[in-house]
Amino acid sequence: MGLDDRKLAVLRAIVEDYVATQEPVGSKALVERHQLGVSPATVRNDMAVLEEEGYIRQPHTSAGRVPTDRGYRLFVDRLSRVKPLSPAERRAIERFLVGAVDLDDVVHRTVRLLAQLTRQVAVVQYPSLARSSVRHLELVPISTTRLMLVMIADTGRVEQRLVELPAPVPADTVTDLRRLVNEKLVGSRLSETPPLVQALVEESAAHLRPAMTTLATVLLETLVERHEERIALAGTANLTRGGLLDFQGSLRPILEALEEEVVMLKLIGEAESTTTRVLIGDENEIDNLRAASVVSTGYGPGATALGGLGVLGPTRMDYPGTIATVRAVARYVGELLAQN
Amino acid sequence: MGLDDRKLAVLRAIVEDYVATQEPVGSKALVERHQLGVSPATVRNDMAVLEEEGYIRQPHTSAGRVPTDRGYRLFVDRLSRVKPLSPAERRAIERFLVGAVDLDDVVHRTVRLLAQLTRQVAVVQYPSLARSSVRHLELVPISTTRLMLVMIADTGRVEQRLVELPAPVPADTVTDLRRLVNEKLVGSRLSETPPLVQALVEESAAHLRPAMTTLATVLLETLVERHEERIALAGTANLTRGGLLDFQGSLRPILEALEEEVVMLKLIGEAESTTTRVLIGDENEIDNLRAASVVSTGYGPGATALGGLGVLGPTRMDYPGTIATVRAVARYVGELLAQN
DNA sequence: GACTGGCACTCATTACAGTCGAGTGCCAGG
DNA sequence: CCTGGCACTCGACTGTAATGAGTGCCAGTC
């Protein structure tokens, strides 16, 4: 497959023009707008090759060319230069994230910021519980047979669960329970707690045993096993930009996918590290998103990811700009969380 | 304005047919589907009157009639009979809400349930902080100069805030602070706390004074004053049902409005009681929602509302069914929260 | 006075034909 | 290997005609 430099330049030009104008681009328009130094006819020949190789296609015979998913892929991998953020964007990021009062606030601000900067749909995963460690456990008596268990993670996440005790327990028993679980569990990663919890139950004094057992069950079942991951969304209105040309006419499948937390988590939460991933069109494993592209990355202090974030938009998107923005936001959020 | 019984029957028939078919309804079709006992010509005369009074209109001269917002209003106020829930729906509600592990879970399940049953966009407000009372306050030391303040409300809501202390405080000071704030504030409604907090600061011993002051500031500023209200959304994909006929072609304004928490809160969170409100089309004060209708109600254990919930859909919606569902879900949620 | 059948009229929708032009593929020549 | 030229394709647009659902009105009937 002989893709010489000029053919690549043509592909790049096609992608850039198409992203900008949203209209199929013809050979004549190309040579006018880009300094390719050759005639339209030559470009046409190059286009024919590019089409044969599957990088571009014609919507209909008498129309210009449009990049295929494969074309975008090549563009992203080899043709796009990193686009540095504008000072304005840089400032926007900083300004947006100061003054956040709690984790919820940080996440909400982040997702809105991301949606605003990229003008696409933004998704931010809350710091994963599985990768957090326990900072404090609190037991608040609701009644004599009910406790509220509150877990505070080092990332700032707070989860609460109602615990129905098998028998009434006096206040000082609650105090004992609280002391014990904190002594044993504080500081350890949530994924490492099961044996510790087990030990807690076995070592606990007889009068604490029943309460401790139910407590342990709630802890393991609702916090560790089905480690609740959460996400925040913003910018769905951006899906309507570009008329209904993007997403082949219907927003339905996209909106459906966005509402499935599980799906979204799979999409942006899989990353263990802070590398950036780009999924273009049908590279997507989720059928509903075959007409969309996703740019995602992990964020966290250092190179390990606490969670993922990303944006979703039409395959016809400004990849260099989007990638730069997603990375920048992730870095800022990572720093912000590291401060806590 | 002589709207005799038959004219009202005609209006009802028009609304019902139009909601069902989504197409302008003509005089002939009407007499065929409903037992009106008169000829099409007579119906036409009635229609002419209804149109003159502004209850229906013609999209174009040679088309059938479509209800206006005013027509829907009359229908809702005087013509619709309450539609009892089907046993299947009743069961769905019960099944959906058991097994919720915490407040977040309750809210998420509720909003999804509502979206599913009504096949529209559902909005659920978290129990309002302003109307909650304090169940417990916890202070977790992060470092010697940082505390995490965790407030647990009687509704199950948990809020956390970071407190930056002016000077390092030893552990037993934190214990003192914790005891003091709990003694003073537990049990009181959040809206009543300001004087209590004020008193706390003034009465506190000299060595606690500085820490207590900042603590009080955080409490008042981030929890009481800008009482953070939160909402959950679901079912946005339902906006795309009915093609793009509803919402006059663009989902844009609707999606934008849905993302503005403030707007949504105003829409569904204003109700102080558990009465049901129906806003039809341009009765809506929010411009973006002039093409939509909203059915909302307050929910809570008794007649006072802890928060609001509702659905948003096209003006052409099944009002009786939607109203019944919204009420039923609100009642169940109210009961569920009362159990905590 | 209220209802009805009949009839002329309106107008969105659909189908069809024709024109236009952007863009292509191919080829012969430099 | 590149280029100018040329025939060709086909979507977009325009204009016209046919279709038919639905109406408003009127004269006649109960």
Side-chain angles (χ1 to χ4, degrees):
Chain A
M1 45 180 89
L3 287 192
D4 56 30
D5 284 356
R6 199 190 52 222
K7 289 193 184 62
L8 292 177
V10 169
L11 178 57
R12 172 192 290 145
I14 292 175
V15 171
E16 286 175 356
D17 275 22
Y18 183 64
V19 165
T21 66
Q22 182 136 215
E23 272 168 15
V25 8
S27 54
K28 197 173 152 217
L30 258 198
V31 291
E32 276 171 11
R33 266 195 290 235
H34 303 260
Q35 288 77 25
L36 294 172
V38 291
S39 77
T42 309
V43 171
R44 283 206 286 281
N45 289 328
D46 290 348
M47 282 174 157
V49 175
L50 286 169
E51 178 153 20
E52 199 164 328
E53 304 275 351
Y55 296 113
I56 56 179
R57 65 185 180 79
Q58 283 182 283
H60 24 264
T61 320
S62 70
R65 303 307 216 285
V66 164
T68 60
D69 292 347
R70 184 147 184 241
Y72 285 123
R73 168 52 62 197
L74 183 62
F75 174 80
V76 168
D77 287 348
R78 298 184 41 200
L79 301 177
S80 61
R81 328 124 205 231
V82 195
K83 190 190 280 183
L85 292 199
S86 73
E89 288 173 309
R90 213 163 274 285
R91 246 175 296 126
I93 296 180
E94 289 175 36
R95 199 162 352 116
F96 221 82
L97 294 181
V98 298
V101 296
D102 70 349
L103 182 67
D104 264 321
D105 209 12
V106 170
V107 171
H108 277 112
R109 281 169 190 245
T110 305
V111 75
R112 295 184 74 123
L113 172 68
L114 204 51
Q116 195 179 305
L117 289 178
T118 62
R119 313 207 59 181
Q120 268 145 14
V121 183
V123 190
V124 175
Q125 178 192 11
Y126 278 70
S128 168
L129 270 193
R131 296 175 211 156
S132 309
S133 45
V134 180
R135 177 176 280 158
H136 182 76
L137 288 164
E138 184 58 31
L139 295 175
V140 183
I142 306 294
S143 69
T144 52
T145 61
R146 285 179 148 178
L147 291 179
M148 179 171 274
L149 165 66
V150 180
M151 189 201 69
I152 303 168
D154 59 350
T155 49
R157 258 187 88 170
V158 176
E159 293 285 318
Q160 70 270 28
R161 294 288 183 276
L162 208 58
V163 183
E164 300 270 356
L165 297 173
V169 293
D172 55 350
T173 303
V174 175
T175 311
D176 288 347
L177 287 170
R178 183 185 298 122
R179 186 174 40 75
L180 285 171
V181 292
N182 274 296
E183 275 173 5
K184 198 82 174 190
L185 300 179
V186 165
S188 50
R189 293 196 124 207
L190 215 61
S191 52
E192 301 163 352
T193 51
L196 301 178
V197 173
Q198 197 54 40
L200 254 177
V201 173
E202 284 160 13
E203 292 166 11
S204 57
H207 71 290
L208 295 178
R209 207 54 166 290
M212 186 62 95
T213 308
T214 39
L215 193 56
T217 311
V218 171
L219 242 166
L220 292 180
E221 281 181 6
T222 72
L223 285 175
V224 182
E225 277 174 34
R226 46 184 267 228
H227 43 276
E228 301 263 307
E229 299 296 353
R230 297 184 52 196
I231 60 170
L233 268 189
T236 45
N238 288 332
L239 288 174
T240 62
R241 295 192 314 128
L244 296 177
L245 301 160
D246 310 328
F247 310 120
Q248 53 202 31
S250 174
L251 297 184
R252 185 98 209 236
I254 311 280
L255 286 172
E256 278 174 356
L258 287 173
E259 289 215 343
E260 288 298 325
E261 300 217 343
V262 191
V263 170
M264 286 296 107
L265 277 170
K266 191 162 186 187
L267 210 57
I268 64 147
E270 272 182 342
E272 294 284 321
S273 72
T274 54
T275 50
T276 312
R277 288 196 311 160
V278 180
L279 285 173
I280 299 167
D282 56 18
E283 295 172 5
N284 249 306
E285 292 187 8
I286 298 136
D287 275 345
N288 280 7
L289 300 181
R290 285 284 152 83
S293 284
V294 176
V295 176
S296 65
T297 187
Y299 67 82
T304 56
L306 282 177
L309 58 78
V311 305
L312 180 153
T315 49
R316 181 209 113 271
M317 73 158 75
D318 169 20
Y319 291 97
T322 305
I323 292 170
T325 307
V326 167
R327 278 195 185 140
V329 171
R331 196 165 49 241
Y332 271 93
V333 174
E335 285 171 16
L336 199 65
L337 289 179
Q339 289 170 18
N340 291 8
Chain B
M1 42 179 87
L3 286 194
D4 55 32
D5 284 356
R6 197 189 54 221
K7 290 194 183 59
L8 291 177
V10 169
L11 177 57
R12 173 192 291 146
I14 291 175
V15 171
E16 286 175 356
D17 275 21
Y18 183 63
V19 165
T21 67
Q22 182 136 215
E23 272 168 14
V25 8
S27 53
K28 199 174 150 215
L30 257 197
V31 291
E32 275 170 14
R33 267 196 289 236
H34 303 261
Q35 288 78 23
L36 293 171
V38 290
S39 76
T42 309
V43 172
R44 282 207 286 283
N45 288 329
D46 290 349
M47 282 175 155
V49 176
L50 287 169
E51 179 152 20
E52 200 164 327
E53 304 276 350
Y55 295 113
I56 55 179
R57 66 186 179 79
Q58 282 182 284
H60 25 264
T61 320
S62 71
R65 302 308 217 286
V66 163
T68 60
D69 291 347
R70 184 149 183 241
Y72 285 122
R73 168 53 62 198
L74 184 60
F75 174 81
V76 168
D77 287 348
R78 297 185 41 200
L79 301 178
S80 62
R81 329 128 205 230
V82 194
K83 190 191 283 184
L85 292 201
S86 73
E89 287 173 311
R90 213 163 274 285
R91 247 175 296 128
I93 295 179
E94 289 175 33
R95 198 159 354 115
F96 220 83
L97 294 182
V98 298
V101 296
D102 70 348
L103 182 68
D104 264 321
D105 209 11
V106 170
V107 171
H108 277 112
R109 281 168 190 245
T110 304
V111 76
R112 294 185 75 126
L113 171 69
L114 204 51
Q116 194 179 306
L117 289 178
T118 61
R119 315 206 58 180
Q120 268 146 14
V121 183
V123 190
V124 175
Q125 178 191 11
Y126 278 70
S128 168
L129 269 193
R131 297 175 210 153
S132 310
S133 47
V134 180
R135 176 175 281 157
H136 182 77
L137 288 163
E138 183 57 32
L139 296 174
V140 182
I142 306 293
S143 70
T144 52
T145 61
R146 283 180 150 176
L147 292 179
M148 180 172 275
L149 165 66
V150 180
M151 188 201 71
I152 302 167
D154 59 352
T155 50
R157 261 188 85 169
V158 177
E159 293 285 318
Q160 71 271 30
R161 294 289 183 276
L162 207 58
V163 184
E164 300 269 356
L165 297 172
V169 292
D172 55 351
T173 303
V174 175
T175 312
D176 288 348
L177 288 170
R178 182 184 300 122
R179 186 173 41 75
L180 285 172
V181 292
N182 274 295
E183 277 173 3
K184 199 82 174 188
L185 300 179
V186 165
S188 49
R189 293 196 124 207
L190 215 64
S191 52
E192 301 164 350
T193 51
L196 302 178
V197 174
Q198 197 53 42
L200 256 177
V201 173
E202 284 161 14
E203 293 166 11
S204 56
H207 71 289
L208 297 177
R209 210 47 168 292
M212 187 62 96
T213 308
T214 40
L215 192 56
T217 311
V218 171
L219 240 164
L220 291 180
E221 281 181 6
T222 73
L223 285 176
V224 183
E225 276 174 33
R226 44 185 268 228
H227 43 275
E228 302 264 305
E229 300 296 352
R230 297 184 53 196
I231 59 169
L233 268 190
T236 45
N238 288 332
L239 288 174
T240 62
R241 295 191 314 128
L244 295 176
L245 301 162
D246 310 328
F247 310 121
Q248 53 201 28
S250 173
L251 295 184
R252 185 101 211 233
I254 311 280
L255 286 171
E256 278 174 356
L258 287 173
E259 289 214 343
E260 287 299 326
E261 300 216 344
V262 191
V263 169
M264 287 295 108
L265 277 170
K266 192 161 185 187
L267 209 57
I268 63 147
E270 272 183 342
E272 295 283 322
S273 72
T274 54
T275 50
T276 312
R277 288 196 311 161
V278 180
L279 285 173
I280 299 168
D282 56 17
E283 294 171 5
N284 250 305
E285 291 187 8
I286 298 136
D287 275 345
N288 279 7
L289 301 182
R290 284 283 152 84
S293 283
V294 176
V295 176
S296 64
T297 187
Y299 67 82
T304 56
L306 283 177
L309 58 78
V311 306
L312 180 154
T315 50
R316 183 209 110 272
M317 72 157 76
D318 168 20
Y319 291 99
T322 305
I323 292 171
T325 307
V326 166
R327 279 196 185 138
V329 171
R331 198 166 44 239
Y332 271 93
V333 174
E335 286 171 15
L336 199 66
L337 288 180
Q339 289 170 20
N340 291 8

